[in-house]
Amino acid sequence: MSTTRQLHFGAILTGVGTAQHEWLHPAIPGDASIDIDWYRQQARAAEAAGFDFVFIVDSPYITPESAPHFLNRLEPLTLLSALAGATEKIGLVGTLTTSYTEPFNVARQYASLDHISHGRAGWNVVTTGLEGAAGNFGRERHIDHGERYRRAREHVEVVQGLWDSYEDDAFPRDKASKRFLDPSRQHRLEHKGEFFQVAGPLNISRSRQGQPVIFQAGVSESGRTLAAEVAEGIFAGVDNFDDAREFYADIKRRVAEAGRNPEHVLLFPGIDPIIADSDEQAQAILRERQGELDLNKALVQLGRPFNYHDFSQYDLDAPFPDLGELGVNGYRGHAERIKRIAREQKLTVRQAALRFGQPFSSFVGSPQTVANEIERWFTQGAADGFNIHVGPPEDFARFTDQVLPLLRERGLFRGDLAGDTLRANLGLPVPRNRHAVAAERAALARAQPLAS
Amino acid sequence: MSTTRQLHFGAILTGVGTAQHEWLHPAIPGDASIDIDWYRQQARAAEAAGFDFVFIVDSPYITPESAPHFLNRLEPLTLLSALAGATEKIGLVGTLTTSYTEPFNVARQYASLDHISHGRAGWNVVTTGLEGAAGNFGRERHIDHGERYRRAREHVEVVQGLWDSYEDDAFPRDKASKRFLDPSRQHRLEHKGEFFQVAGPLNISRSRQGQPVIFQAGVSESGRTLAAEVAEGIFAGVDNFDDAREFYADIKRRVAEAGRNPEHVLLFPGIDPIIADSDEQAQAILRERQGELDLNKALVQLGRPFNYHDFSQYDLDAPFPDLGELGVNGYRGHAERIKRIAREQKLTVRQAALRFGQPFSSFVGSPQTVANEIERWFTQGAADGFNIHVGPPEDFARFTDQVLPLLRERGLFRGDLAGDTLRANLGLPVPRNRHAVAAERAALARAQPLAS
C-alpha cells in the first residue's frame, strides 16, 4: 500500500492507576478499577478520538504494598468482553500470562472475545515477572526466566495452532442438505512439545480478522527474541528517546532476521504525557507530582522489578547498590535497565527511587511540544505509535483534543479508524489458515509435478 | 420470610442447539452459537419474562460428530461478560470445569463477572465427563471419576476462600488521609490441600451479592455429595416426575445432613417443553420430531455419556447390551441412569437411542397442560423451578407468553425480578465474609470470657 505511514495509538486503562498517588486525583473515583462504567467511558473516549485499541495490563500476584490498581481490579478477558458491547471499532488488547494458564483455555477465550467483538481482539503475551505468583498456582518457586520464555514461545504456538482448527469454509450450515460441518475442514493439532501436549481441535472458529493480534511486552534478551518471532504489536517499556531508538532498531532487525516483515510488527512505547497550556506550566505540574511523591512508596515501586526487593534497607544517599543477580528472575528487562541507568548516571538510591519509582515521562509540555516529541520519535525510528496511559479524564482530553489535532494537521495521524477490526486498523495482514495454505500448496504440487 | 414459595426459571442458551436437528429450524441462524447478538436477544427476552438467570453449558472437547452447538460456540465467561452489558437484572450462570483449570484464575474471572454485572454471576461447577478432554490439557488419560469430584470439592473451597480475600470494609479509599487499603482487612488464604496450594490473596474484592452463586449439575453419587456440600442451585438432569422426586428428596436430605438449610439449595430440572394450542397438536409435533430423527446421530448422542461409545456396532433390535463398567469415568450419573432405565423398561438399542439420543420432554401439550405439569412438579416435591431450553424464538415466546401468565394467575410465579442480584432473585442469603465472622466471634469471646 502506498498510503503514508500513520501513527497508531493505544489507551492503557488502569482505573485508579498503577502509580501510588494517581487515585488521589479528585476526578478519579476510588473504585475506578472495578467499575465497568468507568472503563466504558474511557474506552468510548479513546474510540471517539481515533485510538486503535485499549490495552489492559495484568499480573496475578499482590501484596498489601501493591499499587492501588493492582490490589483490586477487573480481570482482562471479562473486562474486554464487556467493553466489546460498549464500543464498535476500537481494538481490545488484554494481557495474560503463559506461565500459569492452559493454552486450550487461553485460545478459547481470546477466540471468543474475537467473535464477540467482531474481530477486535488482541493478546498481550507475558510470562509474569513476580516470583510470588508461583504461590497462587501450586508451585514452590517461580519458573526460571529462560524456561518462562521457552514456555511462552510454545504456548503461543499452540494457541495459534488451535485458532486454525477450522478452515474458513468449515461450516456450510446448509439446511437443505442438513450439512452443518464439513469434517475435512476441521483439524486436530496433535501438538507434543516440551511443555504442552494438546490434541485439539478447538471448539470455536476463526473471526473476521483471522486470528487475534499478538502483542508482547518483554524487553530482556529473551523478551526481544520472543517479540521478533511472534509479536505483531510491542508494548515497549522504554521511556527515553535513545533507549527507544535502540530498542526499535534492534526489534526490527530481529524481525527481519526471523524472516518476517518488519512493517508488520509495530512498536508502541508506553507514555504518560503531562500537557498544559505552556511548557512552564507542564514542568511545574511534573515538579509538583514529584514533590508529592511518598518516598517509601517509591522505594516499594523501585523494588517491584526485583521481586519486591526492600530498598529501604540502604542509605538513601549512598550510590545505587550492586544487586548482583537480583531481578534476573523478575522483570528482568526492567531490572537490567534500572541497574544500567543507575550505574551510567551514578544515581543514589533516593534518585533511583524518584526516577523509577513513579511514571517517567519524556512527554511534558504544551500540546505543541508534546506533538513535536511524538513526531520526533515516530519519524526518527523510535516508535510506530504510542500506548498512552489514561489518567483523569481532563488530562486525557488534553491529549485527544489538543495534541491529536496537531498530529492530524501534519498528516501523521488519520484520526478515524480505518476499519472495524484490529488488524484493519493497524494495517496488519489477516493470517491465512495454515491448513488451507497447505492444501493449496499440495494442490499446486500435484498440478505441476515437473516444475520443481 | 413469610412470602409464598415462588417458581424460579433459568434460560439455557445453546445457539444452534445441543440436539442434532435443532439448527435446521428456519428461525435459527446457522451461526447462532457464535453470534453475540443472538444471545443478547434471547437473554433480553428471558429477562423481560422474569427469568432469574441465563445458563450456559460447556465442555472442552469435541469430535467431528459432536452436535452443532458443541462444535463452534462462544466461551461462557466471555459470553456472559458481554451479556452483562445487554441486561440489567437477570443472573448470569456459566459452566466451567474444575478438572482443567486453576482455582486462582477461576476465582478472578467469576469475581470480575460479578462486579461487571453488579452482582449477577453464578458458577456451574462441573468435572468434565468426556475422556477426550484430557488430550487438550496434556494428560495421557482423563482424571478418574472419584478423583475428579475430590478435586472439584477442593477447587470450589479454594475459589470461595479466595473470594473472601477482602473484607467488605477493606478499602477506605479516603483521599484526605491517603488511605486506599486497610491492610488488616486483606487476607491470604495459604491453602495447602491434596490437589492445590494457593497462597492468595485474590486481587479483586467481593461484589454486592458477596460471592457468585454456586450451581452444580452432577447426578451420580459423587455429584450428589458435592451438590449437598457446596451447591446453591442444581441443574438436575432428570426428565421424568418419579426420577425428579427421588432426586429432589435425596438432595434436600443430604443438604440437611450436611448442616445446611435445604431452602437455600434450589433444584432446577432441565426441560425442553413442546407447547401448541392443543395437547393433540403438541403430541403431533413431538412425533414429527421423533420421525425426523437421524438414527445414526441419535446413536452418537446416546454414546456421549459413555465417552462416545459406538452403539452402531450392535443389532439395533436386540436388547440394550450389558456395558459393564463403561461410562463409569464418563458422565457417570447419566450413564447409570440410561443403563437402569434401559434395563427396567427392557429397551432395545434402537429404543434407547430414540429415548436418550434426543431431548426428552415430559412437558408436551397445551399451555394449560404444561402449566399443570410445572405446578405438579413444583408443589409435589420434584422442583423449585426449571432450567428451560431456549430454542426458536416463537417456541420460547409460547412459554413466556402463554404458560407463564397461567403460573402467575395461580400465584406460583411472581413474574418480575425481586432484586437486581442473582441471590436476591433466588432468595439466597448473601454469605458473610469468613474473616469478618471470625473476627466478630473472637471479639465476642473476649467480651464474655466467663460465659462459656
Side-chain angles (χ1 to χ4, degrees), chain A residues 216-253:
Chain A
Q216 210 275 338
V219 291
S220 68
E221 176 66 25
S222 309
R224 291 176 190 218
T225 303
L226 178 65
E229 288 174 358
V230 304
E232 302 173 277
I234 294 174
F235 175 28
V238 286
D239 63 10
N240 66 79
F241 181 71
D242 292 336
D243 280 4
R245 263 178 73 146
E246 180 278 321
F247 185 66
Y248 187 98
D250 183 57
I251 291 287
K252 297 274 176 167
R253 181 182 56 73

Side-chain angles (χ1 to χ4, degrees), chain B residues 224-244:
Chain B
R224 292 175 190 219
T225 303
L226 178 65
E229 289 173 358
V230 304
E232 302 172 276
I234 295 174
F235 175 29
V238 285
D239 61 11
N240 66 78
F241 181 70
D242 292 336
D243 280 4

Side-chain angles (χ1 to χ4, degrees), chain B residues 198-340:
Chain B
V198 181
L202 192 67
N203 50 1
I204 184 165
S205 57
R206 288 157 50 102
S207 82
R208 296 168 60 214
Q209 69 169 353
Q211 294 192 351
V213 177
I214 300 290
F215 279 70
Q216 209 276 338
V219 291
S220 68
E221 177 65 24
S222 308
R224 292 175 190 219
T225 303
L226 178 65
E229 289 173 358
V230 304
E232 302 172 276
I234 295 174
F235 175 29
V238 285
D239 61 11
N240 66 78
F241 181 70
D242 292 336
D243 280 4
R245 263 177 72 145
E246 181 278 321
F247 185 67
Y248 188 97
D250 184 57
I251 291 287
K252 296 274 175 167
R253 182 182 55 75
R254 290 174 191 241
V255 168
E257 282 174 9
R260 302 173 63 214
N261 182 345
E263 289 180 15
H264 294 159
V265 181
L266 305 177
L267 279 84
F268 301 90
I271 65 171
D272 184 8
I274 298 177
I275 304 155
D277 292 340
S278 69
D279 287 352
E280 294 68 32
Q281 286 171 337
Q283 291 292 344
I285 293 171
L286 176 62
R287 280 193 303 275
E288 191 186 325
R289 280 197 199 164
Q290 289 173 336
E292 279 174 357
L293 197 70
D294 179 330
L295 188 65
N296 290 324
K297 290 181 174 173
L299 288 167
V300 170
Q301 195 66 15
L302 175 64
R304 192 164 186 266
F306 303 92
N307 275 301
Y308 285 110
H309 180 63
D310 177 15
F311 277 97
S312 71
Q313 66 186 287
Y314 302 109
D315 175 355
L316 297 186
D317 296 309
F320 192 83
D322 179 355
L323 296 172
E325 289 292 292
L326 215 64
V328 158
N329 199 31
Y331 287 102
R332 182 188 287 189
H334 293 289
E336 284 172 347
R337 208 173 122 265
I338 292 172
K339 286 177 182 174
R340 174 175 59 76

Side-chain angles (χ1 to χ4, degrees), chain A residues 140-407:
Chain A
E140 294 284 326
R141 46 189 300 280
H142 194 36
I143 307 170
D144 280 343
H145 191 268
E147 183 179 327
R148 287 213 306 274
Y149 275 90
R150 287 205 314 283
R151 185 183 158 101
R153 181 70 190 81
E154 188 183 329
H155 194 300
V156 174
E157 185 185 326
V158 173
V159 167
Q160 290 182 318
L162 288 170
W163 281 337
D164 275 356
S165 291
Y166 288 114
E167 294 182 51
D168 293 341
D169 57 355
F171 294 97
R173 296 179 179 123
D174 179 29
K175 297 193 182 191
S177 65
K178 301 185 177 179
R179 197 145 180 266
F180 187 78
L181 168 73
D182 176 352
S184 74
R185 299 290 186 269
Q186 183 202 61
H187 301 276
R188 285 169 70 88
L189 184 65
E190 302 292 7
H191 174 91
K192 289 189 203 301
E194 180 183 359
F195 301 99
F196 302 107
Q197 295 195 19
V198 182
L202 192 66
N203 50 2
I204 185 166
S205 57
R206 289 156 49 102
S207 82
R208 298 169 59 214
Q209 68 169 354
Q211 293 192 350
V213 177
I214 300 290
F215 279 70
Q216 210 275 338
V219 291
S220 68
E221 176 66 25
S222 309
R224 291 176 190 218
T225 303
L226 178 65
E229 288 174 358
V230 304
E232 302 173 277
I234 294 174
F235 175 28
V238 286
D239 63 10
N240 66 79
F241 181 71
D242 292 336
D243 280 4
R245 263 178 73 146
E246 180 278 321
F247 185 66
Y248 187 98
D250 183 57
I251 291 287
K252 297 274 176 167
R253 181 182 56 73
R254 289 172 191 243
V255 168
E257 282 174 9
R260 301 173 62 213
N261 183 344
E263 288 181 15
H264 295 160
V265 181
L266 305 176
L267 279 84
F268 301 91
I271 65 171
D272 185 8
I274 298 177
I275 304 154
D277 292 341
S278 68
D279 288 353
E280 294 68 32
Q281 286 172 338
Q283 291 292 344
I285 292 171
L286 176 63
R287 279 193 304 274
E288 191 186 324
R289 279 196 199 167
Q290 288 172 337
E292 279 173 358
L293 198 71
D294 179 330
L295 189 64
N296 290 324
K297 290 182 173 173
L299 288 167
V300 170
Q301 195 65 15
L302 175 64
R304 192 164 186 267
F306 304 92
N307 275 301
Y308 286 110
H309 180 62
D310 177 15
F311 277 96
S312 70
Q313 66 187 284
Y314 303 108
D315 175 355
L316 298 186
D317 295 308
F320 192 83
D322 179 355
L323 296 174
E325 289 292 291
L326 215 65
V328 158
N329 200 30
Y331 288 102
R332 183 189 286 190
H334 293 288
E336 284 172 346
R337 208 172 124 264
I338 291 171
K339 287 177 181 174
R340 175 175 59 76
I341 294 177
R343 189 175 60 241
E344 286 172 3
Q345 302 185 4
K346 298 190 173 39
L347 302 179
T348 63
V349 173
R350 184 190 310 273
Q351 286 165 335
L354 294 174
R355 170 75 171 76
F356 300 107
Q358 62 176 331
F360 175 85
S361 189
S362 307
F363 297 75
V364 179
S366 68
Q368 190 81 34
T369 298
V370 171
N372 291 348
E373 190 67 1
I374 286 176
E375 178 170 0
R376 183 166 78 109
W377 286 48
F378 179 61
T379 57
Q380 295 184 25
D384 295 306
F386 293 89
N387 219 357
I388 308 285
H389 172 82
V390 180
E394 63 260 47
D395 290 0
F396 188 53
R398 281 201 178 254
F399 184 79
T400 58
D401 301 351
Q402 298 178 17
V403 176
L404 289 183
L406 298 175
L407 298 168

